Every structure is written in C-alpha cells, then in structure tokens.
Amino acid sequence: MRIIALKTLRDFLMIHADAEAVLRAWYTDANRAEWKSPADIKTIYANASILGHNRVVFNIRGNTYRLIIAINYTIGIIYIRFIGTYAEYDRINADKIY
C-alpha cells in the first residue's frame, strides 16, 4: 500500500515521541500490505474499527492514541486522516474528517 500524508505522522511524533515504535511498526505493516478489503486489515489488526466511507481506526499505544485512515482498496492507497490522543479523537467525527 502507498501511504499519503506522512508529514502528519512526523508532526505528531515531534510531540508524542512515545508512539514512535508503534507507529513505525504500523507503517511497516501497512506499507507492505496488499489489503483488498476490511477483512484483510482485521486479520492483522483485530482491534481496528472499520467505519463507513472506507475509514479505519487503529488504536495506538494501548489505546492512548488513535489513527484514522481512509483507504482506497482498488488502487492501494492509504490516506492519513487523523492522528491524536483519545480525547482529541472524541471531539471529531471520524467519518467526516479530511
């Protein structure tokens, strides 16, 4: 998969360095993946939440942080839509954030 908006992850890590190892592992998995459906994601990330509009929410660092992606399964592109604390996540609409 090709991952778009890596700057979002880099900017986040400048403030939340404690998430670096987990995000690097997620990035490696996602970059190597060939996800064709939400079921493919769930085989690796059973705790991922599948939302509408091809959105997926990942729990990062024991649910301390949340990562939202939009994914185009047909062309194999992941768009980073949000990464933040659990409290920040609670203030957004995960289905509509761009």
Side-chain angles (χ1 to χ4, degrees):
M1 307 294 290
R2 185 169 162 223
I3 302 170
I4 305 293
L6 291 177
K7 182 180 184 315
T8 304
L9 295 180
R10 284 193 297 269
D11 291 348
F12 176 81
L13 287 173
M14 289 180 70
I15 299 167
H16 303 282
D18 60 323
E20 184 172 0
V22 177
L23 281 176
R24 283 189 184 276
W26 176 86
Y27 176 84
T28 299
D29 290 345
N31 192 44
R32 292 179 181 166
E34 294 182 15
W35 294 328
K36 300 294 183 194
S37 72
D40 293 340
I41 296 170
K42 293 291 270 184
T43 61
I44 298 171
Y45 292 98
N47 291 330
S49 299
I50 307 299
L51 306 178
H53 310 288
N54 291 324
R55 303 286 177 112
V56 182
V57 179
F58 295 91
N59 298 321
I60 304 296
R61 251 199 105 234
N63 218 13
T64 302
Y65 306 111
R66 295 284 180 98
L67 169 65
I68 301 173
I69 65 166
I71 186 166
N72 184 320
Y73 295 101
T74 306
I75 60 175
I77 295 180
I78 293 171
Y79 303 92
I80 305 295
R81 292 296 181 215
F82 170 86
I83 185 156
T85 65
Y86 194 97
E88 291 167 336
Y89 172 83
D90 280 345
R91 293 191 299 264
I92 65 162
N93 183 336
D95 286 320
K96 296 185 179 181
I97 193 162
Y98 289 99

